[in-house]
């Protein structure tokens, strides 16, 4: 509880830095105007734009680090839900069975044991389900409107984890086609092994199976949340591949695209977990904020790792983004320190010499450090959302919340 109080006090004094998405909906200043790209999603345009990195910037992080060293046992979020994860893995393999043999082997490709990836999203969603296991403040909707008895709530929430993982894998399949990738999860990418056409069709097939499962939940609010996520994935990908030179040099544009491509899926799925539980709008917003900030922190670190790989030195990563002409946070921060880098970014990275020049500037700048700091900020906002949930004395609820907070640290300290 002390932990909770400290974080609440900090939240009131925490002004934030220039590039982060704020926590409370009502406090947001709308930076982006409504655009035809999205008529329903307002949250992503609500970047707070206050100046200056606050002195308290890393205090919350240190408090979390400190308090976790005080706790009796180190909590592994993945172990906490290991049995359920393996159940979900089996369900996914059943759900992607197709009649036509080629489609069947394409669709099951990334659900086979050993190539299931980090299973980060289902882990978050299962932990969130337990973390929100609170007395339900209002009567759940009747069954015909997607309501539930408490006995099957968990299996409905598991279905969200399955749907989310299917949408995620579908987007990876399509992404690899667009990027002409040859590897994924340490094996040949599906497009490389079976060709672009089958990879696209397998992605479509996974999406259609995800839709069938979504419909089985009979909850229109949840259906529209996840339909919006698919729109966001496509929007984010299109934003990335159709940038003007100004957009490529804009941090706002990068953060908006990052929300669409990476954070929307986990944030809206977390919200769906709360909605299925019949939780209040306030709790649903906190679940959403956790997912959004965790997703943004995750992608910011991904963008750092693209330059550094597992080591801390520049150029040790795959450099895949920059070689594909994709400008990410480390370069954008470096550009603030070295405005002459902008000319190189505008010229593009088809010439490998430009990649080297950009890496030189990045090495001289605080671009990597500032990106990590921004990731920490979002990780802390995610942890604050968990700390702001209604209090619970239930040991399982508390353990899952602690694991969700632990995940925020795992995300910012990961090296792969
Ligand atoms: C078909 C839904 C659909 C979308 C098409 C191609 C596209 C539009 C969107 C691309 C979305 C995309 C691939 C975003 C990147 C998200 C991301 C951070 C992927 C890596 O996630 P990890 O590291 O992967 O969790 P693993 O392999 O561990 O599951």
């Amino acid at each position: 509880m002390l932990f909770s109080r400290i974080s609440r006090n900090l939240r009131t004094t925490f002004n934030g830095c220039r590039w982060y998405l704020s926590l409370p909906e009502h406090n947001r200043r709308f930076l982006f105007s409504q655009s035809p790209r999205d008529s329903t999603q307002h949250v992503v345009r609500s970047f707070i734009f206050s100046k200056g990195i606050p002195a308290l910037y890393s205090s919350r992080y240190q408090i979390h680090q400190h308090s976790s060293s005080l706790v009796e046992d180190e909590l592994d979020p993945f172990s906490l839900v290991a049995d359920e994860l393996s159940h979900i893995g089996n369900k996914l393999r059943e759900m992607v069975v197709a009649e036509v043999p080629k489609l069947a082997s394409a669709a099951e490709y990334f659900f086979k044991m050993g190539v299931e990836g980090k299973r980060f999203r289902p882990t978050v969603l299962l932990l969130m389900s337990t973390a929100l296991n609170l007395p339900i403040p209002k009567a759940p909707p009747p069954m015909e409107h997607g309501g539930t008895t408490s006995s099957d709530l968990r299996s409905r929430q598991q279905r969200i984890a399955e749907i989310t993982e299917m949408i995620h894998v579908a987007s990876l399949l399509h992404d690899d086609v667009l990027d002409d990738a040859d590897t994924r999860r340490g094996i040949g990418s599906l497009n490389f092994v079976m060709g672009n056409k089958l990879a696209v069709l397998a992605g479509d097939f996974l999406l259609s199976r995800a839709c069938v499962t979504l419909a089985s939940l009979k909850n229109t609010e949840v259906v529209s949340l996840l339909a919006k996520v698919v729109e966001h994935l496509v929007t984010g990908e299109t934003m990335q591949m159709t940038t003007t030179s100004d957009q490529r040099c804009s941090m706002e544009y990068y953060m908006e695209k990052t929300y669409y491509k990476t954070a929307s899926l986990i944030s809206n799925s977390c919200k769906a977990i709360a909605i299925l539980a019949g939780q209040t709008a306030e709790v649903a917003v906190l679940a959403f904020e956790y997912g959004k900030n965790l997703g943004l922190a995750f992608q910011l670190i991904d963008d750092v790792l693209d330059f550094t790989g597992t080591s801390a030195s520049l150029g040790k990563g795959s450099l895949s983004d920059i070689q594909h002409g994709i400008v990410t946070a480390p370069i954008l921060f470096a550009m603030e320190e070295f405005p002459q880098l902008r000319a190189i970014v505008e010229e593009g990275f088809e010439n490998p010499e430009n990649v080297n020049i950009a890496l030189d500037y990045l090495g001289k700048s605080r671009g990597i450090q500032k990106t990590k700091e921004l990731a920490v900020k979002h990780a802390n906002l995610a942890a604050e959302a968990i700390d702001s949930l209604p209090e619970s004395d239930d040991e399982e609820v508390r353990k899952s919340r602690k694991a969700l907070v632990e995940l925020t640290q795992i995300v910012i300290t990961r090296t792969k």
Side-chain angles (χ1 to χ4, degrees), residues 87 105 128 156 184 213 220 242 252 384 414:
H87 170 72
S105 50
M128 185 61 81
R156 289 160 66 74
R184 166 74 67 185
T213 306
T220 47
T242 60
E252 287 92 342
E384 284 181 28
R414 76 194 173 101

Side-chain angles (χ1 to χ4, degrees), residues 176-188:
D176 287 345
V177 170
L178 293 170
D179 289 353
D180 206 12
D182 48 21
T183 57
R184 166 74 67 185
R185 294 181 174 172
I187 59 171

Side-chain angles (χ1 to χ4, degrees), residues 21-28 41 43 46 128 132 138 221 225 259 266-275 278-294 381-382 384-386 388-390:
L21 289 161
S22 68
L23 184 73
E25 190 112 15
H26 55 272
N27 275 351
R28 290 193 191 113
Q41 175 60 267
V43 173
S46 55
M128 185 61 81
L132 301 188
K138 60 178 183 209
E221 195 180 354
L225 278 182
Y259 171 76
I266 190 63
S267 54
N268 283 297
S269 299
C270 283
K271 187 173 175 184
I273 293 288
I275 290 169
Q279 280 304 333
T280 59
E282 289 75 18
V283 167
V285 166
L286 290 170
F288 176 91
E289 290 295 332
Y290 174 82
K292 178 185 75 182
N293 286 296
L294 189 76
L381 286 172
E384 284 181 28
I386 296 303
S388 304
L389 289 169

Side-chain angles (χ1 to χ4, degrees), residues 118 121 168 171 174-175 185 233 237 261 298-299:
K118 294 182 283 298
R121 292 156 191 82
H168 169 58
S171 78
H174 285 194
D175 201 46
R185 294 181 174 172
L233 287 165
E237 184 65 30
K261 266 198 78 170
F298 181 93
Q299 188 59 55

Side-chain angles (χ1 to χ4, degrees), residues 314 334-335 337-338 340-341 344 356-367:
L314 271 184
M335 212 189 300
E337 276 176 67
F338 296 99
Q340 54 274 49
L341 178 54
I344 303 294
N356 291 333
I357 297 171
L359 285 179
D360 275 352
Y361 280 118
L362 182 58
K364 285 188 278 188
S365 77
R366 294 190 68 249

